Amino acid sequence: MNKRLFTASVLATSMLWLAGAPTAAIAQEKFPSKSVRWIVPYAAGGGSDFLARTIGQAWGGQIHQPIVVDNRPGGNTAIGASETARATADGYTILSADNGTLIFNPVLYKTLSYNPGKDLAPVTLMGRFPMILVAGPGEKAKTAKEFIAEGKASKEGINYASAGAGSPHHLAMELLKSETGIKLTHAPYRGAAPALADVAGGQLPVMMVDMAAGAGFIKGGKVRPLAVANATRLPQLPDVPTFAELGLPNVQAAALVGMVAPAKTPATVIAALNKQVVAAINEPAVKQKLIDFGVEPVGNTPEQFQSLINSESTRWQKLIKDLNITLD
């Protein structure tokens, strides 16, 4: 090759390389460049579904791409989690994951179709659904203190409803049981709505419920809020004390709903997802809509979300093992 041809070849190669570098950068900046599939492991209409659709609408508007919510209920969220774990790790399939998905299931089940620590990568905690102890007309106690005293005095114990075995609502009551020593018997339902209906109807006396699911029943006077399993009182229920105020600081429980992606999703894509979703959560209209629904909006970093998963795993997995709760 003569000198002139060699120089031309080098220049052409350099120009192609230089052209390719900004193209790659632009491609990363434009993520996502097509629709995103957002798996929600619950049926449409619940709190997790509302959270995803509310945030997804704002997010899609910001990035000018469709966010398609895909409801995949079943298996205590394992069906949706397994599908996400097997998906291509490119950021175009994401999952709403709660305490059950990330913390409870690994110890509630002897065999699980996914491994949250190995198969799923945290993006952000989107919202908290603090638990509230509510009583129906079948419960005589007017306060949480009276209820606890009644439970301690009862030889037979007290029955309680929950949104399902292994749900945050179920384990919040088991936490109360563990901290107070009262005898409680669990009656699981398929969702918070039917459980609340039976508590309101007097078939069962009490349950733990989040504000998003229980607001209508509470505002309508069908159930009475007795105490909040939160560090502070809820703005929607300013007159209802926390368990900490009643001398039970460890009785804190909430459904924690975050976003995760397949484990091998590139860090740059995780960072883009985090930035975009947190921006959507922080839109004033979105934030207010979530608060009105009964959700405490969050929006944190992947590292902060992972740290929370770690600390919550230590707390709840010990309780589950100590009480020998299994779902197999």
Side-chain angles (χ1 to χ4, degrees):
M1 181 182 293
N2 63 37
K3 186 175 180 181
R4 183 175 295 176
L5 285 173
F6 176 78
T7 303
S9 176
V10 170
L11 285 171
T13 303
S14 300
M15 287 176 70
L16 285 170
W17 184 87
L18 288 170
T23 300
I26 290 169
Q28 286 185 359
E29 288 171 7
K30 286 187 176 180
F31 173 86
S33 59
K34 60 181 180 179
S35 64
V36 177
R37 180 190 181 205
W38 189 335
I39 296 177
V40 174
Y42 290 99
S48 290
D49 183 68
F50 175 86
L51 188 66
R53 291 180 189 276
T54 302
I55 295 171
Q57 185 176 18
W59 177 24
Q62 289 178 355
I63 62 175
H64 306 294
Q65 294 292 343
I67 307 298
V68 182
V69 174
D70 186 3
N71 297 94
R72 286 282 186 265
N76 209 26
T77 76
I79 290 175
S82 298
E83 195 162 337
T84 306
R86 295 192 301 266
T88 303
D90 57 5
Y92 288 97
T93 299
I94 53 173
L95 171 75
S96 286
D98 64 11
N99 329 46
T101 317
L102 303 172
I103 297 163
F104 305 156
N105 284 354
V107 285
L108 287 172
Y109 296 94
K110 291 178 183 176
T111 57
L112 198 59
S113 55
Y114 69 98
N115 183 318
K118 293 181 179 179
D119 297 336
L120 302 171
V123 176
T124 183
L125 178 66
M126 297 182 292
R128 299 176 72 256
F129 296 70
M131 292 294 142
I132 307 157
L133 177 65
V134 297
E139 173 55 49
K140 295 178 182 178
K142 301 300 180 186
T143 66
K145 279 190 174 181
E146 289 179 9
F147 170 73
I148 293 168
E150 176 192 346
K152 288 181 176 179
S154 173
K155 292 181 180 179
E156 298 81 15
I158 299 173
N159 297 327
Y160 74 90
S162 87
S167 66
H169 312 72
H170 167 207
L171 293 170
M173 284 299 285
E174 291 298 319
L175 176 62
L176 178 62
K177 173 182 174 180
S178 175
E179 290 292 320
T180 59
I182 62 179
K183 187 177 180 181
L184 297 171
T185 302
H186 182 212
Y189 283 72
R190 293 177 67 86
L196 271 166
D198 274 6
V199 171
Q203 285 88 343
L204 286 162
V206 294
M207 71 177 291
M208 286 276 192
V209 70
D210 57 275
M211 193 66 193
F217 286 84
I218 293 170
K219 291 175 182 176
K222 296 178 180 179
V223 297
R224 306 186 308 277
L226 302 182
V228 176
N230 198 47
T232 58
R233 293 193 181 196
L234 300 183
Q236 302 94 334
L237 300 171
D239 298 327
V240 180
T242 66
F243 280 104
E245 292 176 65
L246 306 176
L248 297 166
N250 293 330
V251 181
Q252 293 190 33
L256 306 173
V257 183
M259 177 184 286
V260 298
K264 294 182 180 179
T265 303
T268 52
V269 174
I270 293 288
L273 284 168
N274 177 269
K275 182 179 180 180
Q276 294 166 12
V277 173
V278 170
I281 293 170
N282 287 329
E283 278 193 16
V286 171
K287 186 170 281 189
Q288 191 58 54
K289 191 172 181 179
L290 296 179
I291 291 170
D292 291 343
F293 189 72
V295 185
E296 179 188 315
V298 183
N300 59 8
T301 66
E303 294 76 19
Q304 288 170 329
F305 187 20
Q306 184 62 63
S307 178
L308 178 65
I309 292 167
N310 294 343
S311 61
E312 288 289 285
S313 294
T314 299
R315 185 164 75 105
W316 288 104
Q317 291 183 0
K318 182 180 185 302
L319 176 73
I320 292 168
K321 290 174 182 177
D322 287 349
L323 297 178
N324 196 29
I325 303 171
T326 62
L327 297 183
D328 280 329

